[in-house]
C-alpha cells in the first residue's frame, strides 16, 4: 500500500509554541519523551500531553528567527487568545526522519487502511469512528505525520470517508523524538489582528 511521505528537507520550518516556564530541555531529551498514546476523548488526536505538536513558521525576522506560527495565528483568530507571551522553539527533523504526509483525503484513508485503530467510541457517528493507530505508527518507525493546509481542508468534515476534524491547522504530530531542538525565542505576535 502506498503511503505518501515528505522528506525532512521538504518539511516547512517548524516551531513548538509554549509558555516561558516550560523546560525546553524536556522536549530535547529523548529520556523525557512522552510516547504517543491512543486516541483520547478529543476526536482524532492522541491523548493530550503525548507526542509533540509543531506548526509552520509564518513570520520571521531578517535573520530567519521565527516570530509567529500557524498555531499562534489560529489561537488569535479562532479563540481570540493573547499569544504575545508565548515562546517558540525551533524543531528540525533529523535527516532520516520518516514523515507521513496527509495532503488530501486519500492520503488519510491509506494511513487508516495500513494502521487502523480500534473504532473511537466518542465519534462512532462519524466515519464509523475509524482513525489512524498513532501507537502502531510510532512502533513501526514512523516519526511524524504532517498535515498540510490543503490536507486539513480536505479532511475537515468531508461528505463521506475519513476525517481529521479537530486537527484544525497545518501542523506536524511528532510520534517519536526524531528531531533537533533549535533556538527558543519570544513570539513577536500581538494579540490584535496581524503580527508585530
Amino acid at each position: 500500500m502506498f503511503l505518501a511521505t515528505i522528506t525532512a528537507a521538504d518539511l516547512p520550518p517548524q516551531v513548538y509554541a509554549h509558555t516561558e516556564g516550560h523546560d525546553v530541555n524536556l522536549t530535547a531529551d529523548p529520556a523525557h519523551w512522552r510516547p504517543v498514546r491512543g486516541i483520547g476523548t478529543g476526536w482524532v488526536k492522541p491523548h493530550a500531553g503525548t507526542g509533540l505538536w509543531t506548526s509552520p513558521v509564518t513570520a520571521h525576522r531578517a535573520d530567519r528567527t521565527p516570530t509567529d506560527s500557524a498555531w499562534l495565528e489560529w489561537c488569535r483568530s479562532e479563540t481570540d487568545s493573547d499569544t504575545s507571551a508565548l515562546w517558540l522553539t525551533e524543531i528540525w527533523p533529523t535527516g532520516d526522519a520518516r514523515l507521513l504526509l496527509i495532503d488530501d483525503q486519500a492520503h488519510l484513508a491509506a494511513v487508516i487502511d495500513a494502521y487502523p485503530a480500534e473504532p473511537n467510541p466518542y465519534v462512532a457517528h462519524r466515519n464509523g469512528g475509524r482513525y489512524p493507530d498513532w501507537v502502531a505508527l510510532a512502533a513501526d518507525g514512523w516519526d511524524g505525520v504532517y498535515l498540510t493546509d490543503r490536507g486539513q481542508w480536505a479532511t475537515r468534515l468531508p461528505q463521506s470517508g475519513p476525517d481529521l476534524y479537530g486537527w484544525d491547522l497545518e501542523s506536524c504530530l511528532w510520534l517519536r523524538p526524531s528531531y533537533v531542538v533549535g533556538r527558543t525565542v519570544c513570539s513577536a505576535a500581538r494579540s490584535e489582528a496581524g503580527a508585530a
Side-chain angles (χ1 to χ4, degrees):
M1 171 165 303
F2 171 76
L3 295 178
T5 61
I6 185 170
T7 66
D10 289 332
L11 185 70
Q14 300 286 301
V15 289
Y16 169 52
H18 53 86
T19 59
E20 183 178 13
H22 174 73
D23 184 357
V24 176
N25 292 320
L26 296 179
T27 306
D29 183 358
H32 289 96
W33 175 254
R34 295 169 300 188
V36 70
R37 289 184 31 221
I39 293 173
T41 59
W43 297 107
V44 301
K45 298 177 183 176
H47 278 275
T50 67
L52 179 70
W53 292 89
T54 61
S55 66
V57 172
T58 57
H60 50 78
R61 296 186 189 107
D63 68 356
R64 308 302 290 172
T65 299
T67 58
D68 205 2
S69 74
W71 170 245
L72 296 185
E73 288 179 357
W74 186 89
C75 289
R76 290 191 304 274
S77 69
E78 298 296 322
T79 65
D80 198 30
S81 295
D82 181 358
T83 62
S84 61
L86 292 178
W87 291 72
L88 300 173
T89 295
E90 295 171 317
I91 300 292
W92 300 101
T94 58
D96 60 351
R98 294 180 66 214
L99 303 170
L100 287 168
L101 173 70
I102 299 177
D103 193 45
D104 59 34
Q105 194 181 30
H107 291 165
L108 174 60
V111 172
I112 293 171
D113 287 346
Y115 297 92
E118 289 294 318
N120 184 345
Y122 300 103
V123 290
H125 62 285
R126 296 207 346 255
N127 186 34
R130 292 189 64 236
Y131 296 99
D133 185 333
W134 307 117
V135 175
L137 283 161
D140 206 21
W142 290 103
D143 297 309
V145 179
Y146 183 61
L147 178 69
T148 66
D149 187 57
R150 179 175 175 249
Q152 188 275 140
W153 288 108
T155 62
R156 184 184 186 92
L157 297 178
Q159 292 291 328
S160 64
D163 70 81
L164 286 176
Y165 182 70
W167 192 335
D168 296 314
L169 62 134
E170 181 172 354
S171 53
C172 187
L173 167 59
W174 293 91
L175 304 171
R176 299 172 358 133
S178 295
Y179 53 77
V180 176
V181 174
R183 298 174 289 188
T184 296
V185 296
C186 188
S187 164
R190 298 179 310 182
S191 60
E192 305 90 53

